């Protein structure tokens, strides 16, 4: 229930009572009022976070459906139409070879795009592999890292909880994708730090930079998804300008003890 303080502010309280010894010759009860404001605020914050996670997940599914429709589905449809056209046309061997080369290129590009999506949705290479090695492998496999000079520095323990490993890996991949799309950068450094109680990931680029504590623009879900994913595990994710000359740094830090307590 809510109550009002002497200064006029309100707070949430819990009330309990129990029988006590006689007071002034009469039966008595003792009442206990406990300020529950912090607990109620924490519960409300948790509900708001869960609502954001649901909203971001829904938007991510919508984005994925759009990406599949505009990318692989369209490319496969074009390849199918080209094959149908080839079957109806009387072409010489050289012309056939040229057209088949185009179809083969379309199919290969589609397969690469689907592999990229699979890597983002569920990175199979993450299981049983140290985090620095998994990120390094992704850098060489993802086609949109081509043209970027990416250096992975530092390492963390090999026995990271799976949720911590997956969350930090996801932040690294999302940050690299943002660099590719928005930063106009040429160099990226991914630093991994492990101080025993927490692990930290920093992704720094030399691009155009971003405002400190930047918020997502409509249709761009990378920043809130990174922050919410790390926040759910008891950590913090910050995005800001790397320095006066520009660039962006994404920092995600996860406490190991808190995560273990949550997953037990």
């Amino acid at each position: 229930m809510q109550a009002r303080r002497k200064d006029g502010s309100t707070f949430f309280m819990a009330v309990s009572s129990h029988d006590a010894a006689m007071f002034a010759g009469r039966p008595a009860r003792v009442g206990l009022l406990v300020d529950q404001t912090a607990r109620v605020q924490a519960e409300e914050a948790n509900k708001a976070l869960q609502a954001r996670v649901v909203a971001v997940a829904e938007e991510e599914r919508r984005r994925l459906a759009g990406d599949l429709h505009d990318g692989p589905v369209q490319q496969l449809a074009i390849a199918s139409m080209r094959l149908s056209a080839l079957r109806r046309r009387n072409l010489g061997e050289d012309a056939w070879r040229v057209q088949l080369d185009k179809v083969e290129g379309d199919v290969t590009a589609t397969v690469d795009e689907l592999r990229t999506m699979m890597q983002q949705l569920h990175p199979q290479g993450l299981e049983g592999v140290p985090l620095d090695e998994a990120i390094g492998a992704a850098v060489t496999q993802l086609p949109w890292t081509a043209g970027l000079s990416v250096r992975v520095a530092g390492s963390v323990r090999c026995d990271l909880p799976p949720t911590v490993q997956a969350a930090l890996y996801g932040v690294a991949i999302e940050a690299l994708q943002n660099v590719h799309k928005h930063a106009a950068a040429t160099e990226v450094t991914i630093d991994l730090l492990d101080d025993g109680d927490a692990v930290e990931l920093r992704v720094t680029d030399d691009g155009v930079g971003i405002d400190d504590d930047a918020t997502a623009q409509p249709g761009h879900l990378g920043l809130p998804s990174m922050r919410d994913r790390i926040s759910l595990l008891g950590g913090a994710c910050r995005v800001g300008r790397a320095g006066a000359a520009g660039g962006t740094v994404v920092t995600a830090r996860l406490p190991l003890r808190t995560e273990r307590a949550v997953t037990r």
Side-chain angles (χ1 to χ4, degrees), residues 31-79:
L32 180 64
L33 306 181
V34 180
D35 189 340
Q36 296 288 313
T37 303
R39 179 185 62 80
V40 172
Q41 291 176 341
E43 290 176 352
E44 291 176 349
N46 187 53
K47 289 179 182 178
L49 177 60
Q50 291 177 352
R52 288 203 308 275
V53 170
V54 171
V56 168
E58 180 61 29
E59 288 297 327
E60 285 288 354
R61 285 192 291 270
R62 186 179 293 113
R63 181 186 63 80
L64 178 60
D67 289 346
L68 285 171
H69 177 271
D70 295 339
V73 171
Q74 293 291 339
Q75 291 166 1
L76 289 175
I78 291 172

Side-chain angles (χ1 to χ4, degrees), residues 126-127 159-169 229 233 259 263:
L126 190 60
E127 299 174 2
D159 62 342
L160 280 179
T163 49
V164 170
Q165 179 130 324
L168 293 176
Y169 179 91
R229 187 172 189 179
L233 294 176
E259 195 281 337
T263 56

Side-chain angles (χ1 to χ4, degrees), residues 132 150-156 189-193 200-202:
D132 55 315
V150 182
R151 182 174 66 92
V152 181
S155 63
V156 296
T189 300
I190 301 175
D191 293 299
L192 293 167
L193 307 172
E200 184 173 291
L201 169 84
R202 281 203 306 266

Side-chain angles (χ1 to χ4, degrees), residues 78-189:
I78 291 172
S80 177
M81 287 188 292
R82 282 180 174 169
L83 289 174
S84 297
L86 283 174
R87 185 168 50 189
R88 294 192 301 267
R89 295 168 63 184
N90 184 18
L91 298 175
E93 182 177 347
D94 291 341
W96 268 92
R97 185 175 294 107
V98 170
Q99 294 300 318
L100 287 175
D101 286 345
K102 290 181 179 179
V103 173
E104 182 182 11
D106 290 341
V107 173
T108 299
T110 302
V111 171
D112 288 342
E113 190 168 351
L114 287 172
R115 283 175 175 167
T116 298
M117 291 182 178
M118 291 168 59
Q119 184 76 1
Q120 291 174 297
L121 290 172
H122 182 69
Q124 296 180 350
L126 190 60
E127 299 174 2
V129 177
L131 182 58
D132 55 315
E133 292 184 15
I135 294 174
V139 169
T140 62
Q141 295 170 8
L142 294 173
W144 37 263
T145 57
L148 279 176
S149 174
V150 182
R151 182 174 66 92
V152 181
S155 63
V156 296
R157 66 196 68 184
C158 295
D159 62 342
L160 280 179
T163 49
V164 170
Q165 179 130 324
L168 293 176
Y169 179 91
V171 169
I173 298 302
E174 183 67 41
L176 283 171
Q177 193 165 27
N178 287 340
V179 170
H180 168 71
K181 290 180 177 179
H182 310 296
T186 58
E187 296 183 359
V188 180
T189 300

